[in-house]
Amino acid sequence: MKIGIIGLGRMGGNIARRIMRAGHETVVFDRNAPAVAALVADGAIGADSLEDMRDKLDAVAIYWVMLPAGDPTEQTIATIAGFAKPGDIVIDGGNTFYKDDIRRAKMLAEKGIHYVDVGTSGGVWGLERGFCMMVGGAKDAVDTVDPILAALAPGIGTIPRTPDRDGDKNDARAEQGYIHAGPAGSGHFVKMVHNGIEYGLMQAYAEGFDILKGKSSEKLPEEERFDLNLTDIAEVWRRGSVISSWLLDLSAAALAKDQMLDAFSGSVADSGEGHWTIEAAMEEAVPVNVLSAALFARYRSRVDHTFGDKLLSAMRFGFGGHVEMPQ
């Protein structure tokens, strides 16, 4: 298949490369010309503009937009809608608010253009590990782009199969690392909640390591002080512990490099998806004590930093290459 990739940043470039590794063709565009040149050197077809991309795609064009949520994605999809033909497919793989997907899908459907939203997880490691994807859109459109999704997905790998999972009642693609969640907007909705959970998991690790580090505090009686090796604790928890995870792997790697995490200030940004998750919970009257507290902890980190906040920043940099908020 041939697909256009728009936005060649931390994830977009690797999405294009992984697609090409599977034997598909990519036409790539980014306002940053060196990013385009780098992909062309790897075998992609470069485009000078969105219109130039259209001329280089197949009769039924497929566009994958991988840009920041909000105006960059909104404007790009509006531009594509201006020249796309009926039957073309527009994919938004960024962190878009799911209600925007629903609106866009309706707008594009009036022109006969299909819209697919792909909540994409994998960060800067996706090229090698693959991308976990939660997909929304009409079945025909999702089935059309399935070869691309299959190429991006991690595959079953070495993860044991879930006992008693009924393949006849569930999406068989889930074991490969991607699902068709439902209609337009559902993919990004599932990814939004995924990120809300991520906030809570990260905050739990951050607070736990904050407690471990604080055990050496002079505020405690001397006989109750422990000078704990946080690097070793993270490492041992990775091996056989019930709280092992990729986030703990990233924490262990950061602590092994610098146990005090001096390279991080602890000013922790949020992508917006944690906020949207809380909004959805409020609309549904679902209590989310942990997720809301984790979001508010990030707000607090911008004025009052702890060691745990540094670990949050280290985890975000580890999986997504996210740079801390400026002070």
Side-chain angles (χ1 to χ4, degrees), residues 116-119 133-139 142 149 171 173-174 178-191:
V116 175
D117 56 288
V118 180
M133 294 168 292
M134 298 131 270
V135 185
K139 183 179 184 302
V142 174
L149 300 174
D171 191 341
R173 293 171 290 196
Y178 68 111
I179 59 168
H180 181 196
S186 64
H188 276 144
F189 182 81
V190 175
K191 175 57 164 51

Side-chain angles (χ1 to χ4, degrees), residues 74-159:
E74 194 73 37
Q75 293 168 7
T76 298
I77 291 176
T79 299
I80 294 171
F83 59 72
K85 299 177 181 178
D88 287 352
I89 300 173
V90 176
I91 302 169
D92 179 4
N95 284 334
T96 287
F97 185 42
Y98 75 98
K99 292 183 181 181
D100 289 334
D101 291 315
I102 296 170
R103 170 179 53 79
R104 289 179 194 151
K106 290 180 180 178
M107 180 269 290
L108 292 173
E110 293 174 356
K111 300 173 179 287
I113 302 166
H114 304 292
Y115 182 87
V116 175
D117 56 288
V118 180
T120 311
S121 180
V124 295
W125 299 89
L127 177 59
E128 301 301 331
R129 293 171 58 109
F131 296 91
C132 174
M133 294 168 292
M134 298 131 270
V135 185
K139 183 179 184 302
D140 289 349
V142 174
D143 288 348
T144 297
V145 301
D146 187 77
I148 297 297
L149 300 174
L152 289 171
I156 194 166
T158 60
I159 299 174

Side-chain angles (χ1 to χ4, degrees), residues 2 14-15 26 42-43 46 60 69 77 82 86 94 111 113 148 155 188 215 217 258 272 280 284 287 289 301 314 322:
K2 182 183 286 187
N14 283 343
I15 283 173
T26 63
D42 287 340
V60 175
I77 291 176
K111 300 173 179 287
I113 302 166
I148 297 297
H188 276 144
K215 195 57 177 171
S217 171
D258 173 15
E284 300 167 19
N289 302 17
S301 76
H322 300 292

